[in-house]
Amino acid sequence: HLPGQKVDATIAKTRHSTQGVGLISPPPHHDIYSIEDLAQLIYDLKNVNPIADVSVKLVSEVGVGTVAAGVVKAGADHITISGSDGGTGASPLTSLKHAGSPWEIGLAETQQRLVEKNLRSRVGLQVDGGLKTGRDVIIGALLGADEFGFATAPLIAAGCIMCRKCHLNICSAGLATQDPVMRKKFKGAPEHVINYFFFAANEVREILASLGFTRLDEIIGASELLEKDEMLSHWKAKGLDFSRIFHKVDALKEETFWTSRQEHPIDDILDRVLIEQAHPALTAKTPVAFEVGIKNVDRSVGAMLSGEVAKRYRHRGLKEDTINVTLRGTAGQSFGAFLARGITFNLIGDGNDYVGKGLSGGKIIIRPPENSRIVAEDSIIVGNTVLYGATEGECYFRGVAGERFAVRNSGAIAIVEGVGDHGCEYMTGGVVVVLGATGRNFAAGMSGGVAYVFDETGDFASRCNTETVDLEQVQEASADVSGAMTRHDEEPLYQLISKHLHYTGSARATEILDNWADYRRKFTKLMPRMLVETESESGSD
């Protein structure tokens, strides 16, 4: 959690957000509600960057071993078990005091469950949560960790004095602040952190030598080496049963730590065909246009192609429509995920959930087949959570979208002909035009961007969450004293609907534009109010 008063112009630009508005984990790495969602996200990430390892962080609590087993089956390359100690002083007191159990408990359970299910060798297991010494590293390794996360201790080595004022932007050591005056107080140096890690590493070597080992890999999961008799005989331990923490599952040594790699099903996918067809554009920026079929088992289409564009041309991508792909059929989940600038997807058919997830400058057009008998403006064309975490680009959907449309949209432009519940949830930027009905709780937590809703029945206000937004009428273009036209909402809204008509042939857009003088008044504009967090809102101790 980054409190609003710490979100300056630079951070807001980097995060595609609004200066002064608090931030939480950036999408799409947040708001995961099921193992299926997580598996899809891992698949998305492996497509866009096949050589990267995908890591999942889990809190140490009862049952974390079962969750970890599901995470490995979902395709994660790496898991971090995070314990209750340590953490940031920017967190509210409830987050500091109630953030899971000690890391030893969660790590032991995770190691035992993964070994038991023959999953341990496929994944790297890291532990963190207030690790300070080489002894902590050895205990972590004996309980099953391959890697060890240090944060609080190196921060102190760099000069942190634990004032617990991180959330106030007045860090006395000049570390956890964006205030240029306070940052001048920072006296730390890289050598301080390096020295700390040398001390910790030397202690690890000393303890390893005393145990008769030379490599950390040799003791991973060897919980029988832990000295526990003295601890168990202590009067405070009477009545406590630690047998489950120290239990060791019988297995071959190579099955008790990270010795192999996950297998990801990304070798024979549609994107390989797209990359081959788009080769002239990728290598010489020569425009290409082609058509392919698509089925609902084709997931994350466009992610790997976008990764290839990003490798060569970074975020600036290619010129508009350099890679123009027409697809016919039903797309699987995450169609157009992370679609890069210069790629246009024209889908004649329909899409599933997560269309345009993390859209990064590309263009997505989805419309029914030419011979379809459906009434597009009354029919679902894309699923739930469309444009989740999009930062840039354009989308035109001739039809209705499911729930959570444009959730956490941070810069994309989208036109749709109806949405389900929770549309524009937590939106921080971009423009959304809805040419039809909306579900309940529209614009909940919306802190940036703008939305236009065609309120034909006049009851939209009852379905909108006005906690953070104001409802306004669309301003009509007018002439100033010199006779020049003043630019208002009407002109850009009209142009967006015209583009929607151009790309999709929408009957709804045609009707609205043909009767613009009357229908313009039925549009409601949603403008977020500036919400700068106070000290009490961001939490303190």
Side-chain angles (χ1 to χ4, degrees), residues 525-541:
K525 178 184 178 182
L526 284 78
M527 282 296 293
R529 294 189 292 271
M530 178 58 70
L531 300 173
V532 179
E533 292 181 348
T534 64
E535 175 182 338
S536 60
E537 288 173 332
S538 61
S540 67
D541 54 342

Side-chain angles (χ1 to χ4, degrees), residues 286-360:
T286 303
V288 296
F290 54 92
E291 182 173 324
V292 296
I294 189 171
K295 304 184 293 294
N296 63 356
V297 295
D298 295 320
R299 298 181 294 142
S300 308
V301 174
M304 188 175 289
L305 175 62
S306 297
E308 291 296 321
V309 171
K311 285 178 187 176
R312 291 168 168 83
Y313 307 109
R314 306 182 70 82
H315 183 62
R316 68 180 181 273
L318 299 165
K319 291 184 178 179
E320 186 177 3
D321 298 333
T322 300
I323 302 174
N324 197 324
V325 186
T326 300
L327 305 102
R328 291 184 180 270
T330 297
Q333 290 196 339
S334 296
F335 175 75
F338 313 117
L339 202 65
R341 192 181 299 167
I343 303 175
T344 297
F345 275 3
N346 188 348
L347 173 60
I348 302 173
D350 56 349
N352 213 302
D353 297 342
Y354 290 118
V355 169
K357 175 193 288 186
L359 186 70
S360 301

